[in-house]
Amino acid sequence: MAELNRSITPLMLWAMGVGCAFAGLFFGWNLGLARGGTLGLGLALLVVVSILYLTFTLSYAELSCAIPRAGGVMSYADRALGRSWGFGAGMAQNVGFIFAPPAIAFAIGDYLHLFAPRPPLLSIAFAAYILFTWLNIRGVKAAAMAELIITGLAVASLIVFCFVSLPHLQLENLTRDALPHGWQGAVAAIPFAVWCFLGIEAIANMAEETVNPQRTLPKAFIAAFLTLAVLALLTFIGATGVDGWQTIVFKLDGSVSDSPMPMALAKVMDAHHPLYQLLYVAGLFGLIGSFHGLILASGRSTLEFGRMRHAPSFLARLDPRHQTPANALKLNCAIGLLALASGRTSDLILLSVLEH
């Protein structure tokens, strides 16, 4: 069986965990406000952070050290519960990793449309899919280094957004229409809170390519979780506290928006302000980081699916020149392009969180 090369450093691994989930902090979570309001989504975030993802992260950290395989949860379920459970876990993981990137690609197109409305949204998304699939095929070290740079810029941009928005926080904006659909709305907001962290498990899928995985993986998981948890809560408070949750969910024409951060910034500064332009462009790095990272992780997950004979064996082959799962990446790209053609961002987000 062909083996992947170990070349991922601890910092690259942290960037993978943060980067894969980071798009959830830039878009998608705001759709949960339409269901739960600030109180409903806020409670959902606290439950997800304090219970689901804290325990999830610690468990994954232990399992990835004990079974450092590219299959992640698929390998753990197969070892503990048998082949059938391994198939189910692997299929759920593949659904999450394969259908999240199309949703993110829509957001990338939506962000660019606000800035430059001429290029067709789908054309931008299709081009991004093909470009980043090619980059992943070219080699894991180059792909991981690109992820580190993109994630670093995205983290910096989100920190700046918090510094800009939090001084304009007004408590009445957080409490106005805070629970529009009752407690059922709070429950309905949970998938959108999960979206803020979806993808952190990709760290486990890089175990075979990590230098000294037994020491590196737990540190990377915990550091990535803390980074996401703090930034998710600060972003939620800063964006909704500026002018209420409705203004970062609905556009002027009544349609829902995939770009809540620029909408929040527009309430505190002019769209032509240099800082607005800088943060707007930098926000794209958060989306691109998640998009790129999830494509990278999905290739490893599909590769292991083929290795374990849950899928045709050609998916288990590595590119002889670059030692990357080229066949798996190409198949995932084809599925993602078909999903893009559906044009249903919200449904893709819900489908992506089903594995949890």
Side-chain angles (χ1 to χ4, degrees), residues 172-259:
E172 57 265 31
N173 291 330
L174 294 174
T175 57
R176 185 172 63 247
D177 199 16
L179 200 64
H181 302 295
W183 296 110
Q184 288 183 339
V187 174
I190 289 177
F192 299 93
V194 171
W195 179 246
C196 292
F197 297 85
L198 181 71
I200 191 175
E201 64 271 22
I203 291 175
N205 295 87
M206 306 307 296
E208 283 188 51
E209 295 162 281
T210 299
V211 177
N212 196 1
Q214 278 70 28
R215 294 187 61 184
T216 302
L217 289 165
K219 293 178 181 178
F221 263 114
I222 294 170
F225 167 75
L226 292 175
T227 302
L228 290 168
V230 171
L231 290 177
L233 292 173
L234 289 177
T235 300
F236 165 73
I237 295 170
T240 56
V242 168
D243 195 36
W245 65 263
Q246 292 92 343
T247 57
I248 61 169
V249 175
F250 301 109
K251 300 178 183 179
L252 293 177
D253 62 2
S255 61
V256 295
S257 171
D258 280 334
S259 50

Side-chain angles (χ1 to χ4, degrees), residues 30-43:
N30 64 312
L31 303 180
L33 290 166
R35 291 160 171 78
T38 49
L39 179 58
L41 183 59
L43 289 173

Side-chain angles (χ1 to χ4, degrees), residues 19-332:
C20 282
F22 222 50
L25 275 63
F26 282 92
F27 92 105
W29 65 269
N30 64 312
L31 303 180
L33 290 166
R35 291 160 171 78
T38 49
L39 179 58
L41 183 59
L43 289 173
L45 271 172
L46 290 175
V47 169
V48 166
V49 169
S50 63
I51 299 176
L52 176 59
Y53 264 91
L54 176 60
T55 54
F56 178 93
T57 300
L58 294 175
S59 298
Y60 253 71
E62 291 291 334
L63 288 166
S64 61
C65 290
I67 310 172
R69 299 293 302 171
V73 67
M74 173 171 42
S75 301
Y76 313 151
D78 182 82
R79 183 77 62 87
L81 301 171
R83 182 172 174 80
S84 296
W85 283 93
F87 171 81
M91 183 60 72
Q93 178 177 246
N94 285 332
V95 167
F97 282 162
I98 293 173
F99 288 100
I104 298 169
F106 277 120
I108 292 172
D110 203 34
Y111 263 70
L112 288 174
H113 247 240
L114 288 175
F115 191 70
R118 181 170 294 181
L121 190 154
L122 276 179
S123 297
I124 296 170
F126 272 64
Y129 237 114
I130 295 169
L131 172 63
F132 283 100
T133 298
W134 173 82
L135 178 60
N136 275 279
I137 291 172
R138 293 287 297 176
V140 67
K141 193 167 184 179
M145 182 58 70
E147 182 73 0
L148 176 59
I149 295 170
I150 293 168
T151 299
L153 291 170
V155 170
S157 71
L158 204 53
I159 291 172
V160 173
F161 169 80
C162 292
F163 272 106
V164 171
S165 61
L166 288 173
H168 298 273
L169 169 68
Q170 296 182 21
L171 291 179
E172 57 265 31
N173 291 330
L174 294 174
T175 57
R176 185 172 63 247
D177 199 16
L179 200 64
H181 302 295
W183 296 110
Q184 288 183 339
V187 174
I190 289 177
F192 299 93
V194 171
W195 179 246
C196 292
F197 297 85
L198 181 71
I200 191 175
E201 64 271 22
I203 291 175
N205 295 87
M206 306 307 296
E208 283 188 51
E209 295 162 281
T210 299
V211 177
N212 196 1
Q214 278 70 28
R215 294 187 61 184
T216 302
L217 289 165
K219 293 178 181 178
F221 263 114
I222 294 170
F225 167 75
L226 292 175
T227 302
L228 290 168
V230 171
L231 290 177
L233 292 173
L234 289 177
T235 300
F236 165 73
I237 295 170
T240 56
V242 168
D243 195 36
W245 65 263
Q246 292 92 343
T247 57
I248 61 169
V249 175
F250 301 109
K251 300 178 183 179
L252 293 177
D253 62 2
S255 61
V256 295
S257 171
D258 280 334
S259 50
M261 314 299 277
M263 295 177 74
L265 286 175
K267 298 299 179 180
V268 300
M269 63 178 63
D270 186 82
H272 299 290
H273 192 286
L275 186 58
Y276 179 94
Q277 298 289 338
L278 177 64
L279 289 174
Y280 182 84
V281 173
L284 283 171
F285 285 103
L287 300 176
I288 293 170
S290 287
F291 182 65
H292 176 218
L294 287 168
I295 289 175
L296 198 160
S298 70
R300 275 69 191 165
S301 177
T302 305
L303 168 76
E304 192 71 8
F305 212 58
R307 281 175 172 176
M308 298 176 71
R309 304 302 185 192
H310 293 314
S313 59
F314 80 92
L315 293 175
R317 297 175 194 154
L318 297 179
D319 182 270
R321 181 179 178 186
H322 303 291
Q323 292 299 295
T324 54
N327 291 338
L329 287 164
K330 291 173 184 176
L331 176 65
N332 292 346

Side-chain angles (χ1 to χ4, degrees), residues 8-29:
I8 304 298
T9 65
L11 194 57
M12 289 177 179
L13 201 60
W14 165 84
M16 173 63 63
V18 173
C20 282
F22 222 50
L25 275 63
F26 282 92
F27 92 105
W29 65 269

